[in-house]
Amino acid sequence: MTTPPALPRPRDGGASGGRTRDPYFDNAKYLTIVLVACGHAWEPLTYGSRAATAIYLTVYAFHMPAFALISGYFSRSFDMAPGRVKRLLTGVVVPYLVFEVAYTLFYRWAQDDPGYPISLLDPWYVMWFLVALFIWRVTTPLWLALRHPVPVALAVAALASISPEAGGDLGLQRVLAFLPFFVAGLTLRPDHFTRLRTRRARLAALPVAAFALCTAYAVAPWMDAEWFYHRTSVAKLDGVPPWAGLLTTPLLFGLALVLTACFLAWVPGRRTWFTALGSGTLYGYLLHGFIIKSSRFWDWYDHPWLHTPLGELTVTAAAVLMITALCTEPVRRVLRVVVEPRMDWAFRRTGSSGAS
């Protein structure tokens, strides 16, 4: 994502303002990547636990929209200047190519399937977000040129949701489904976040979050999480009329924005022990998929104890520890050559204009 799933660092795409890092956004990046890891770790627990399903649905209703929104916020200055194009290629395209191949090779080994194809047009597992981030960012000048970019992006997402052909290559269904959140981030300004970072906003977020959890618990027995994955169009969901996407897309957009606002209201604004980890969330995002997929390939969840309340808490703690470790400086130091390569040899020298 570049970072959250990779949420972008302030220099990715040229964040407006100076180069000073705001700990609030690094905190937000770390906490969102924690939610991603927990969501992936919780998925096998949802088959037998209504409470786990409720928490899972609540988190999935907003954590990827939050990624996209913050990515858009830090892409406001992206203008295709040489320096920013270089950062886009080295910070998004190169990691995508490297890890898409790495995941395919991992699958071949883990599943003993040497013929499994390498397809750069069919993102594997978590890799779709880097494709989305690339497409969103290169279209940023277009969205910034529009008078009402968010309604237009929402209309595009709604139309994609009712088209059975919107998926397939490059994970286009997800790219278009989460596009409105990225575009919404492009329209935000620092004062919007300032309004959330108040005692009143934090207190207001509590009943909203409680209501969301209670609602999720009520609908957990029959709610299909596919509504939040956006892996396929509404037209392909069982028992759902194709036109439903025209209604559900704006409703899910509004729900995600409200829950994202609640989440951001409670993100600490001061420097904490995990603030520095916020600049390494891309590493955590790209690497944690190997561990999550290993848990599926080798049936780690077959132990009945893991499906007890204490087991579910243990799984959650393990997911937090895992993603925290993957965002640390030692990991970044080892893998920086493929996740954030400089590659000066591949680009012409440019002046300071457009450099991030």
Side-chain angles (χ1 to χ4, degrees), residues 1-9 12-13 64 67-76 78 80 87-89 91-93 95-96 123 126-141 143 170-171 174-176 178-179 181-183 186 282 285-286:
M1 110 206 81
T2 347
T3 1
L7 294 177
R9 298 169 65 179
D12 295 351
M64 288 310 299
F67 271 171
L69 184 141
I70 298 177
S71 298
Y73 179 73
F74 282 111
S75 298
R76 293 170 298 155
F78 188 83
M80 298 298 287
R87 280 297 303 160
L88 179 64
L89 294 177
V92 177
V93 176
Y96 173 75
V126 298
M127 300 309 298
W128 71 268
F129 191 81
L130 292 189
V131 174
L133 186 59
F134 176 81
I135 294 174
W136 295 340
R137 196 164 282 173
V138 296
T139 60
T140 290
W143 299 110
L170 299 178
R174 280 173 162 171
V175 173
L176 298 179
F178 290 103
L179 172 64
F181 301 101
F182 178 84
V183 175
L186 293 175
L282 177 58
Y285 182 77
L286 293 173

Short mmCIF file of all heavy atoms in Angstrom, two decimals, residues 1-9 12-13 64 67-76 78 80 87-89 91-93 95-96 123 126-141 143 170-171 174-176 178-179 181-183 186 282 285-286:
data_model
loop_
_atom_site.label_atom_id
_atom_site.label_comp_id
_atom_site.label_asym_id
_atom_site.label_seq_id
_atom_site.Cartn_x
_atom_site.Cartn_y
_atom_site.Cartn_z
N MET A 1 0.97 -0.86 0.00
CA MET A 1 0.00 0.00 0.00
C MET A 1 0.65 0.58 0.00
O MET A 1 0.86 -0.50 0.30
CB MET A 1 -1.21 -0.38 0.42
CG MET A 1 -1.83 -0.21 1.21
SD MET A 1 -2.26 -0.41 1.54
CE MET A 1 -2.50 -0.66 1.89
N THR A 2 2.31 3.80 -0.48
CA THR A 2 3.12 2.76 -0.07
C THR A 2 2.94 2.48 1.31
O THR A 2 3.71 2.54 1.95
CB THR A 2 4.54 3.05 -0.28
OG1 THR A 2 4.73 4.11 -1.07
CG2 THR A 2 5.18 1.89 -0.89
N THR A 3 2.47 2.41 2.05
CA THR A 3 2.51 1.77 3.33
C THR A 3 1.25 1.09 3.52
O THR A 3 0.62 1.33 3.97
CB THR A 3 2.74 2.72 4.45
OG1 THR A 3 2.85 3.95 4.00
CG2 THR A 3 3.93 2.41 5.22
N PRO A 4 0.38 1.07 4.03
CA PRO A 4 -0.25 0.27 4.88
C PRO A 4 -0.06 -0.92 4.48
O PRO A 4 0.45 -1.41 4.65
CB PRO A 4 -1.63 0.53 4.85
CG PRO A 4 -1.81 1.61 3.93
CD PRO A 4 -0.51 1.84 3.38
N PRO A 5 -1.55 -1.60 4.07
CA PRO A 5 -1.27 -2.36 3.67
C PRO A 5 -0.19 -1.85 3.36
O PRO A 5 0.42 -1.53 3.13
CB PRO A 5 -2.08 -2.73 2.54
CG PRO A 5 -2.96 -2.45 2.60
CD PRO A 5 -2.52 -1.80 3.57
N ALA A 6 0.35 -1.16 3.84
CA ALA A 6 1.25 -0.41 3.11
C ALA A 6 0.70 0.94 2.99
O ALA A 6 0.11 1.30 2.02
CB ALA A 6 1.40 -1.00 1.79
N LEU A 7 0.88 1.68 3.97
CA LEU A 7 0.51 3.07 3.86
C LEU A 7 1.73 3.86 3.48
O LEU A 7 2.81 3.59 3.94
CB LEU A 7 -0.05 3.59 5.17
CG LEU A 7 -1.36 2.94 5.55
CD1 LEU A 7 -1.82 3.43 6.87
CD2 LEU A 7 -2.40 3.18 4.53
N PRO A 8 1.56 4.88 2.63
CA PRO A 8 2.69 5.62 2.15
C PRO A 8 3.34 6.46 3.21
O PRO A 8 2.70 7.04 4.04
CB PRO A 8 2.11 6.50 1.06
CG PRO A 8 0.70 6.63 1.41
CD PRO A 8 0.31 5.40 2.13
N ARG A 9 4.63 6.52 3.18
CA ARG A 9 5.34 7.43 4.06
C ARG A 9 5.14 8.83 3.55
O ARG A 9 4.84 9.05 2.38
CB ARG A 9 6.83 7.06 4.07
CG ARG A 9 7.08 5.66 4.59
CD ARG A 9 8.49 5.22 4.34
NE ARG A 9 9.42 6.03 5.10
CZ ARG A 9 10.74 5.83 5.09
NH1 ARG A 9 11.24 4.88 4.35
NH2 ARG A 9 11.53 6.61 5.80
N ASP A 12 6.39 9.60 0.22
CA ASP A 12 5.83 8.86 -0.90
C ASP A 12 4.71 9.65 -1.54
O ASP A 12 3.64 9.77 -1.00
CB ASP A 12 5.28 7.50 -0.45
CG ASP A 12 6.38 6.60 0.04
OD1 ASP A 12 7.55 6.96 -0.12
OD2 ASP A 12 6.04 5.54 0.57
N GLY A 13 4.94 10.14 -2.68
CA GLY A 13 3.90 10.89 -3.33
C GLY A 13 3.95 12.34 -2.95
O GLY A 13 3.18 13.16 -3.41
N MET A 64 -9.35 -1.47 5.57
CA MET A 64 -8.79 -1.19 4.25
C MET A 64 -9.23 0.17 3.71
O MET A 64 -8.42 0.87 3.09
CB MET A 64 -9.16 -2.31 3.28
CG MET A 64 -8.42 -3.63 3.54
SD MET A 64 -6.64 -3.43 3.72
CE MET A 64 -6.19 -2.76 2.14
N PHE A 67 -6.79 2.52 5.17
CA PHE A 67 -5.53 2.46 4.43
C PHE A 67 -5.58 3.35 3.20
O PHE A 67 -4.70 4.15 2.94
CB PHE A 67 -5.28 1.03 3.96
CG PHE A 67 -4.53 0.20 4.95
CD1 PHE A 67 -4.41 -1.16 4.74
CD2 PHE A 67 -3.94 0.74 6.09
CE1 PHE A 67 -3.72 -1.96 5.64
CE2 PHE A 67 -3.26 -0.05 6.99
CZ PHE A 67 -3.15 -1.41 6.76
N ALA A 68 -6.64 3.14 2.42
CA ALA A 68 -6.77 3.88 1.17
C ALA A 68 -6.91 5.37 1.42
O ALA A 68 -6.34 6.20 0.70
CB ALA A 68 -7.98 3.36 0.39
N LEU A 69 -7.66 5.75 2.45
CA LEU A 69 -7.87 7.16 2.75
C LEU A 69 -6.56 7.84 3.15
O LEU A 69 -6.23 8.94 2.65
CB LEU A 69 -8.90 7.30 3.86
CG LEU A 69 -9.31 8.73 4.23
CD1 LEU A 69 -10.81 8.81 4.52
CD2 LEU A 69 -8.53 9.23 5.45
N ILE A 70 -5.79 7.21 4.02
CA ILE A 70 -4.51 7.81 4.44
C ILE A 70 -3.53 7.83 3.27
O ILE A 70 -2.76 8.78 3.11
CB ILE A 70 -3.94 7.06 5.65
CG1 ILE A 70 -4.89 7.18 6.84
CG2 ILE A 70 -2.57 7.61 6.03
CD1 ILE A 70 -4.45 6.40 8.07
N SER A 71 -3.58 6.80 2.44
CA SER A 71 -2.74 6.79 1.24
C SER A 71 -3.08 7.97 0.35
O SER A 71 -2.18 8.63 -0.21
CB SER A 71 -2.93 5.49 0.47
OG SER A 71 -2.53 4.37 1.22
N GLY A 72 -4.36 8.26 0.19
CA GLY A 72 -4.77 9.40 -0.61
C GLY A 72 -4.32 10.71 0.00
O GLY A 72 -3.86 11.63 -0.70
N TYR A 73 -4.41 10.82 1.31
CA TYR A 73 -4.00 12.04 2.01
C TYR A 73 -2.53 12.35 1.73
O TYR A 73 -2.16 13.51 1.50
CB TYR A 73 -4.24 11.90 3.50
CG TYR A 73 -3.82 13.10 4.30
CD1 TYR A 73 -4.56 14.28 4.27
CD2 TYR A 73 -2.68 13.06 5.10
CE1 TYR A 73 -4.18 15.39 5.00
CE2 TYR A 73 -2.29 14.16 5.83
CZ TYR A 73 -3.04 15.32 5.79
OH TYR A 73 -2.64 16.42 6.52
N PHE A 74 -1.69 11.32 1.72
CA PHE A 74 -0.27 11.53 1.48
C PHE A 74 0.09 11.53 0.00
O PHE A 74 1.26 11.60 -0.34
CB PHE A 74 0.56 10.49 2.23
CG PHE A 74 0.70 10.78 3.70
CD1 PHE A 74 0.09 9.98 4.64
CD2 PHE A 74 1.42 11.88 4.12
CE1 PHE A 74 0.21 10.26 5.99
CE2 PHE A 74 1.55 12.17 5.47
CZ PHE A 74 0.94 11.36 6.41
N SER A 75 -0.90 11.45 -0.86
CA SER A 75 -0.65 11.52 -2.30
C SER A 75 -1.13 12.83 -2.90
O SER A 75 -1.12 12.99 -4.13
CB SER A 75 -1.36 10.35 -3.01
OG SER A 75 -0.87 9.11 -2.57
N ARG A 76 -1.55 13.77 -2.08
CA ARG A 76 -2.14 15.01 -2.59
C ARG A 76 -1.21 15.79 -3.49
O ARG A 76 -1.67 16.52 -4.38
CB ARG A 76 -2.58 15.89 -1.41
CG ARG A 76 -3.72 15.33 -0.59
CD ARG A 76 -3.90 16.13 0.69
NE ARG A 76 -2.72 16.07 1.52
CZ ARG A 76 -2.37 16.99 2.41
NH1 ARG A 76 -3.11 18.07 2.55
NH2 ARG A 76 -1.28 16.84 3.15
N PHE A 78 1.14 14.49 -5.46
CA PHE A 78 1.69 13.70 -6.56
C PHE A 78 1.32 14.34 -7.89
O PHE A 78 0.14 14.51 -8.20
CB PHE A 78 1.19 12.26 -6.51
CG PHE A 78 1.88 11.38 -7.50
CD1 PHE A 78 3.10 10.81 -7.20
CD2 PHE A 78 1.33 11.15 -8.74
CE1 PHE A 78 3.76 10.01 -8.12
CE2 PHE A 78 1.97 10.36 -9.68
CZ PHE A 78 3.19 9.79 -9.36
N MET A 80 3.39 13.62 -11.02
CA MET A 80 4.17 12.99 -12.09
C MET A 80 5.51 13.67 -12.31
O MET A 80 6.13 13.48 -13.36
CB MET A 80 3.36 12.96 -13.40
CG MET A 80 2.09 12.14 -13.32
SD MET A 80 2.37 10.39 -12.96
CE MET A 80 3.03 9.82 -14.51
N ARG A 87 10.00 7.59 -6.97
CA ARG A 87 9.56 7.01 -5.71
C ARG A 87 8.40 6.03 -5.92
O ARG A 87 8.30 5.01 -5.26
CB ARG A 87 9.13 8.11 -4.74
CG ARG A 87 10.27 8.80 -4.02
CD ARG A 87 11.02 7.84 -3.14
NE ARG A 87 10.13 7.22 -2.16
CZ ARG A 87 10.41 6.10 -1.52
NH1 ARG A 87 11.52 5.45 -1.78
NH2 ARG A 87 9.56 5.60 -0.64
N LEU A 88 7.54 6.34 -6.88
CA LEU A 88 6.42 5.44 -7.18
C LEU A 88 6.92 4.12 -7.74
O LEU A 88 6.45 3.05 -7.36
CB LEU A 88 5.47 6.12 -8.17
CG LEU A 88 4.25 5.31 -8.60
CD1 LEU A 88 3.33 5.05 -7.40
CD2 LEU A 88 3.47 6.05 -9.70
N LEU A 89 7.89 4.19 -8.63
CA LEU A 89 8.41 2.98 -9.26
C LEU A 89 9.21 2.15 -8.27
O LEU A 89 9.06 0.92 -8.21
CB LEU A 89 9.27 3.35 -10.47
CG LEU A 89 8.53 4.00 -11.65
CD1 LEU A 89 9.51 4.39 -12.74
CD2 LEU A 89 7.46 3.08 -12.20
N GLY A 91 9.18 2.40 -4.89
CA GLY A 91 8.48 2.11 -3.65
C GLY A 91 7.20 1.32 -3.81
O GLY A 91 6.64 0.84 -2.81
N VAL A 92 6.72 1.18 -5.05
CA VAL A 92 5.48 0.44 -5.28
C VAL A 92 5.67 -0.64 -6.34
O VAL A 92 5.37 -1.82 -6.11
CB VAL A 92 4.33 1.40 -5.70
CG1 VAL A 92 3.06 0.60 -6.01
CG2 VAL A 92 4.05 2.40 -4.60
N VAL A 93 6.15 -0.26 -7.53
CA VAL A 93 6.26 -1.21 -8.63
C VAL A 93 7.30 -2.28 -8.35
O VAL A 93 7.03 -3.49 -8.52
CB VAL A 93 6.58 -0.47 -9.94
CG1 VAL A 93 6.80 -1.49 -11.08
CG2 VAL A 93 5.46 0.49 -10.31
N PRO A 95 8.64 -3.38 -5.39
CA PRO A 95 8.18 -4.36 -4.39
C PRO A 95 7.09 -5.29 -4.92
O PRO A 95 7.05 -6.46 -4.56
CB PRO A 95 7.65 -3.47 -3.25
CG PRO A 95 8.39 -2.20 -3.40
CD PRO A 95 8.58 -2.01 -4.88
N TYR A 96 6.21 -4.74 -5.75
CA TYR A 96 5.16 -5.60 -6.31
C TYR A 96 5.76 -6.72 -7.14
O TYR A 96 5.39 -7.90 -6.99
CB TYR A 96 4.19 -4.78 -7.16
CG TYR A 96 3.20 -5.66 -7.89
CD1 TYR A 96 2.14 -6.25 -7.20
CD2 TYR A 96 3.33 -5.94 -9.25
CE1 TYR A 96 1.24 -7.08 -7.85
CE2 TYR A 96 2.44 -6.77 -9.91
CZ TYR A 96 1.39 -7.34 -9.20
OH TYR A 96 0.51 -8.18 -9.83
N PRO A 123 -2.78 -10.32 -9.15
CA PRO A 123 -2.12 -10.16 -7.84
C PRO A 123 -2.52 -11.27 -6.87
O PRO A 123 -3.70 -11.60 -6.73
CB PRO A 123 -2.62 -8.80 -7.35
CG PRO A 123 -3.02 -8.07 -8.59
CD PRO A 123 -3.56 -9.11 -9.52
N VAL A 126 -2.24 -10.51 -0.75
CA VAL A 126 -2.19 -9.11 -0.32
C VAL A 126 -1.64 -8.17 -1.39
O VAL A 126 -1.70 -6.94 -1.22
CB VAL A 126 -1.33 -8.96 0.96
CG1 VAL A 126 -1.92 -9.75 2.10
CG2 VAL A 126 0.12 -9.40 0.71
N MET A 127 -1.13 -8.70 -2.48
CA MET A 127 -0.42 -7.86 -3.44
C MET A 127 -1.33 -6.93 -4.22
O MET A 127 -0.86 -5.99 -4.87
CB MET A 127 0.38 -8.75 -4.41
CG MET A 127 1.42 -9.63 -3.74
SD MET A 127 2.52 -8.69 -2.63
CE MET A 127 3.28 -7.58 -3.79
N TRP A 128 -2.62 -7.15 -4.18
CA TRP A 128 -3.54 -6.29 -4.94
C TRP A 128 -3.43 -4.83 -4.52
O TRP A 128 -3.65 -3.92 -5.34
CB TRP A 128 -4.99 -6.77 -4.74
CG TRP A 128 -5.52 -6.49 -3.36
CD1 TRP A 128 -5.48 -7.33 -2.28
CD2 TRP A 128 -6.17 -5.30 -2.93
NE1 TRP A 128 -6.05 -6.72 -1.19
CE2 TRP A 128 -6.49 -5.47 -1.55
CE3 TRP A 128 -6.53 -4.10 -3.55
CZ2 TRP A 128 -7.13 -4.49 -0.81
CZ3 TRP A 128 -7.17 -3.13 -2.80
CH2 TRP A 128 -7.46 -3.32 -1.45
N PHE A 129 -3.08 -4.58 -3.25
CA PHE A 129 -3.07 -3.20 -2.78
C PHE A 129 -1.99 -2.37 -3.45
O PHE A 129 -2.17 -1.18 -3.70
CB PHE A 129 -2.91 -3.15 -1.26
CG PHE A 129 -3.15 -1.77 -0.70
CD1 PHE A 129 -4.44 -1.32 -0.49
CD2 PHE A 129 -2.10 -0.92 -0.43
CE1 PHE A 129 -4.68 -0.04 0.01
CE2 PHE A 129 -2.33 0.36 0.07
CZ PHE A 129 -3.62 0.80 0.29
N LEU A 130 -0.84 -2.99 -3.76
CA LEU A 130 0.21 -2.24 -4.45
C LEU A 130 -0.22 -1.88 -5.87
O LEU A 130 0.10 -0.80 -6.36
CB LEU A 130 1.51 -3.05 -4.47
CG LEU A 130 2.20 -3.27 -3.12
CD1 LEU A 130 3.57 -3.88 -3.32
CD2 LEU A 130 2.31 -1.97 -2.34
N VAL A 131 -0.92 -2.80 -6.52
CA VAL A 131 -1.47 -2.48 -7.85
C VAL A 131 -2.44 -1.31 -7.74
O VAL A 131 -2.41 -0.36 -8.52
CB VAL A 131 -2.18 -3.70 -8.45
CG1 VAL A 131 -2.87 -3.33 -9.76
CG2 VAL A 131 -1.19 -4.83 -8.67
N ALA A 132 -3.33 -1.38 -6.74
CA ALA A 132 -4.30 -0.31 -6.54
C ALA A 132 -3.61 1.01 -6.26
O ALA A 132 -3.98 2.05 -6.84
CB ALA A 132 -5.24 -0.67 -5.39
N LEU A 133 -2.62 0.99 -5.39
CA LEU A 133 -1.93 2.23 -5.04
C LEU A 133 -1.25 2.85 -6.25
O LEU A 133 -1.28 4.08 -6.43
CB LEU A 133 -0.90 1.95 -3.94
CG LEU A 133 -0.19 3.18 -3.36
CD1 LEU A 133 -1.20 4.14 -2.76
CD2 LEU A 133 0.84 2.77 -2.33
N PHE A 134 -0.67 2.02 -7.11
CA PHE A 134 -0.05 2.54 -8.32
C PHE A 134 -1.08 3.21 -9.22
O PHE A 134 -0.88 4.34 -9.70
CB PHE A 134 0.65 1.40 -9.07
CG PHE A 134 1.25 1.82 -10.39
CD1 PHE A 134 2.48 2.45 -10.44
CD2 PHE A 134 0.56 1.60 -11.58
CE1 PHE A 134 3.02 2.87 -11.65
CE2 PHE A 134 1.10 2.00 -12.79
CZ PHE A 134 2.32 2.63 -12.83
N ILE A 135 -2.18 2.53 -9.46
CA ILE A 135 -3.22 3.07 -10.34
C ILE A 135 -3.81 4.35 -9.74
O ILE A 135 -4.00 5.36 -10.44
CB ILE A 135 -4.32 2.03 -10.60
CG1 ILE A 135 -3.74 0.85 -11.39
CG2 ILE A 135 -5.50 2.64 -11.34
CD1 ILE A 135 -4.71 -0.31 -11.57
N TRP A 136 -4.13 4.31 -8.46
CA TRP A 136 -4.69 5.50 -7.81
C TRP A 136 -3.75 6.69 -7.91
O TRP A 136 -4.17 7.80 -8.20
CB TRP A 136 -4.97 5.21 -6.34
CG TRP A 136 -6.00 4.17 -6.08
CD1 TRP A 136 -6.98 3.74 -6.94
CD2 TRP A 136 -6.15 3.40 -4.88
NE1 TRP A 136 -7.74 2.76 -6.34
CE2 TRP A 136 -7.26 2.53 -5.08
CE3 TRP A 136 -5.48 3.38 -3.66
CZ2 TRP A 136 -7.68 1.65 -4.08
CZ3 TRP A 136 -5.90 2.50 -2.68
CH2 TRP A 136 -7.00 1.64 -2.89
N ARG A 137 -2.48 6.42 -7.66
CA ARG A 137 -1.54 7.54 -7.60
C ARG A 137 -1.28 8.16 -8.95
O ARG A 137 -1.20 9.39 -9.07
CB ARG A 137 -0.24 7.09 -6.93
CG ARG A 137 0.62 8.26 -6.47
CD ARG A 137 1.68 7.82 -5.50
NE ARG A 137 1.14 7.63 -4.18
CZ ARG A 137 1.83 7.12 -3.15
NH1 ARG A 137 3.08 6.73 -3.35
NH2 ARG A 137 1.28 6.99 -1.97
N VAL A 138 -1.17 7.34 -9.99
CA VAL A 138 -0.91 7.92 -11.31
C VAL A 138 -2.13 8.68 -11.82
O VAL A 138 -2.01 9.53 -12.72
CB VAL A 138 -0.48 6.86 -12.34
CG1 VAL A 138 0.83 6.24 -11.94
CG2 VAL A 138 -1.56 5.81 -12.52
N THR A 139 -3.31 8.39 -11.27
CA THR A 139 -4.51 9.13 -11.68
C THR A 139 -4.81 10.30 -10.75
O THR A 139 -5.83 10.98 -10.94
CB THR A 139 -5.74 8.19 -11.72
OG1 THR A 139 -5.97 7.62 -10.42
CG2 THR A 139 -5.55 7.08 -12.74
N THR A 140 -3.96 10.54 -9.77
CA THR A 140 -4.19 11.63 -8.82
C THR A 140 -4.41 12.98 -9.49
O THR A 140 -5.33 13.72 -9.13
CB THR A 140 -3.02 11.71 -7.81
OG1 THR A 140 -3.07 10.57 -6.95
CG2 THR A 140 -3.10 12.96 -6.97
N PRO A 141 -3.58 13.38 -10.47
CA PRO A 141 -3.82 14.68 -11.12
C PRO A 141 -5.22 14.80 -11.71
O PRO A 141 -5.83 15.87 -11.69
CB PRO A 141 -2.74 14.74 -12.21
CG PRO A 141 -1.64 13.87 -11.68
CD PRO A 141 -2.34 12.73 -10.98
N TRP A 143 -8.03 13.32 -10.56
CA TRP A 143 -9.00 13.51 -9.49
C TRP A 143 -8.91 14.91 -8.90
O TRP A 143 -9.93 15.52 -8.56
CB TRP A 143 -8.82 12.45 -8.40
CG TRP A 143 -9.03 11.07 -8.91
CD1 TRP A 143 -8.09 10.09 -9.09
CD2 TRP A 143 -10.26 10.52 -9.39
NE1 TRP A 143 -8.66 8.97 -9.63
CE2 TRP A 143 -10.00 9.20 -9.83
CE3 TRP A 143 -11.57 11.01 -9.48
CZ2 TRP A 143 -10.99 8.38 -10.34
CZ3 TRP A 143 -12.56 10.19 -10.00
CH2 TRP A 143 -12.27 8.89 -10.42
N LEU A 170 -5.36 -7.58 -12.66
CA LEU A 170 -4.92 -6.51 -11.78
C LEU A 170 -5.84 -6.27 -10.59
O LEU A 170 -5.77 -5.22 -9.96
CB LEU A 170 -4.74 -5.20 -12.58
CG LEU A 170 -3.70 -5.24 -13.70
CD1 LEU A 170 -3.66 -3.90 -14.42
CD2 LEU A 170 -2.31 -5.57 -13.14
N GLY A 171 -6.69 -7.21 -10.29
CA GLY A 171 -7.59 -7.02 -9.15
C GLY A 171 -8.43 -5.78 -9.30
O GLY A 171 -8.68 -5.05 -8.33
N ARG A 174 -11.30 -4.63 -6.81
CA ARG A 174 -10.88 -3.99 -5.57
C ARG A 174 -10.32 -2.59 -5.82
O ARG A 174 -10.54 -1.67 -5.02
CB ARG A 174 -9.84 -4.84 -4.85
CG ARG A 174 -10.44 -6.00 -4.08
CD ARG A 174 -9.36 -6.90 -3.55
NE ARG A 174 -9.86 -7.76 -2.48
CZ ARG A 174 -9.17 -8.75 -1.95
NH1 ARG A 174 -7.95 -9.02 -2.40
NH2 ARG A 174 -9.68 -9.48 -0.98
N VAL A 175 -9.58 -2.44 -6.89
CA VAL A 175 -9.02 -1.13 -7.22
C VAL A 175 -10.13 -0.08 -7.30
O VAL A 175 -10.02 1.01 -6.75
CB VAL A 175 -8.25 -1.19 -8.55
CG1 VAL A 175 -7.82 0.21 -8.98
CG2 VAL A 175 -7.02 -2.09 -8.41
N LEU A 176 -11.20 -0.42 -7.99
CA LEU A 176 -12.30 0.52 -8.18
C LEU A 176 -13.17 0.63 -6.93
O LEU A 176 -13.69 1.71 -6.62
CB LEU A 176 -13.15 0.09 -9.37
CG LEU A 176 -12.43 0.07 -10.72
CD1 LEU A 176 -13.37 -0.40 -11.83
CD2 LEU A 176 -11.87 1.45 -11.06
N PHE A 178 -12.30 0.45 -3.75
CA PHE A 178 -11.68 1.27 -2.70
C PHE A 178 -11.22 2.63 -3.21
O PHE A 178 -10.71 3.44 -2.43
CB PHE A 178 -10.49 0.52 -2.09
CG PHE A 178 -10.90 -0.67 -1.25
CD1 PHE A 178 -10.78 -1.96 -1.76
CD2 PHE A 178 -11.40 -0.49 0.01
CE1 PHE A 178 -11.17 -3.06 -1.00
CE2 PHE A 178 -11.79 -1.58 0.79
CZ PHE A 178 -11.67 -2.86 0.28
N LEU A 179 -11.39 2.88 -4.50
CA LEU A 179 -11.01 4.16 -5.09
C LEU A 179 -11.64 5.36 -4.38
O LEU A 179 -10.95 6.35 -4.12
CB LEU A 179 -11.36 4.17 -6.58
CG LEU A 179 -11.19 5.50 -7.31
CD1 LEU A 179 -9.73 5.92 -7.33
CD2 LEU A 179 -11.76 5.40 -8.73
N PHE A 181 -12.28 5.96 -1.37
CA PHE A 181 -11.60 6.29 -0.12
C PHE A 181 -10.27 6.98 -0.38
O PHE A 181 -9.91 7.93 0.31
CB PHE A 181 -11.38 5.01 0.70
CG PHE A 181 -12.67 4.31 1.03
CD1 PHE A 181 -13.07 3.19 0.31
CD2 PHE A 181 -13.50 4.77 2.03
CE1 PHE A 181 -14.27 2.54 0.60
CE2 PHE A 181 -14.70 4.14 2.33
CZ PHE A 181 -15.08 3.03 1.61
N PHE A 182 -9.56 6.51 -1.40
CA PHE A 182 -8.33 7.18 -1.79
C PHE A 182 -8.61 8.61 -2.23
O PHE A 182 -7.92 9.56 -1.82
CB PHE A 182 -7.65 6.42 -2.92
CG PHE A 182 -6.38 7.05 -3.42
CD1 PHE A 182 -5.17 6.82 -2.78
CD2 PHE A 182 -6.39 7.88 -4.53
CE1 PHE A 182 -3.99 7.40 -3.25
CE2 PHE A 182 -5.23 8.46 -5.00
CZ PHE A 182 -4.02 8.22 -4.36
N VAL A 183 -9.64 8.76 -3.05
CA VAL A 183 -9.99 10.10 -3.54
C VAL A 183 -10.45 10.99 -2.39
O VAL A 183 -10.13 12.18 -2.34
CB VAL A 183 -11.07 10.00 -4.64
CG1 VAL A 183 -11.53 11.38 -5.07
CG2 VAL A 183 -10.52 9.23 -5.84
N LEU A 186 -7.53 12.42 -0.81
CA LEU A 186 -6.96 13.53 -1.58
C LEU A 186 -7.61 14.87 -1.22
O LEU A 186 -6.98 15.92 -1.34
CB LEU A 186 -7.13 13.28 -3.07
CG LEU A 186 -6.35 12.13 -3.70
CD1 LEU A 186 -6.74 11.95 -5.17
CD2 LEU A 186 -4.85 12.38 -3.59
N LEU A 282 4.99 -1.03 5.41
CA LEU A 282 5.03 -1.72 4.12
C LEU A 282 5.72 -3.08 4.27
O LEU A 282 5.30 -4.07 3.67
CB LEU A 282 5.75 -0.87 3.07
CG LEU A 282 5.94 -1.51 1.69
CD1 LEU A 282 4.59 -1.91 1.10
CD2 LEU A 282 6.68 -0.58 0.75
N TYR A 285 3.34 -5.44 5.94
CA TYR A 285 2.27 -5.82 5.02
C TYR A 285 2.73 -6.88 4.04
O TYR A 285 2.06 -7.90 3.82
CB TYR A 285 1.77 -4.59 4.27
CG TYR A 285 0.63 -4.88 3.33
CD1 TYR A 285 -0.65 -5.07 3.84
CD2 TYR A 285 0.82 -4.99 1.97
CE1 TYR A 285 -1.71 -5.35 2.98
CE2 TYR A 285 -0.23 -5.27 1.11
CZ TYR A 285 -1.49 -5.44 1.63
OH TYR A 285 -2.54 -5.73 0.78
N LEU A 286 3.89 -6.66 3.44
CA LEU A 286 4.39 -7.58 2.43
C LEU A 286 4.80 -8.93 3.02
O LEU A 286 4.64 -9.96 2.37
CB LEU A 286 5.57 -6.95 1.69
CG LEU A 286 5.26 -5.73 0.82
CD1 LEU A 286 6.55 -5.12 0.30
CD2 LEU A 286 4.34 -6.11 -0.32
#
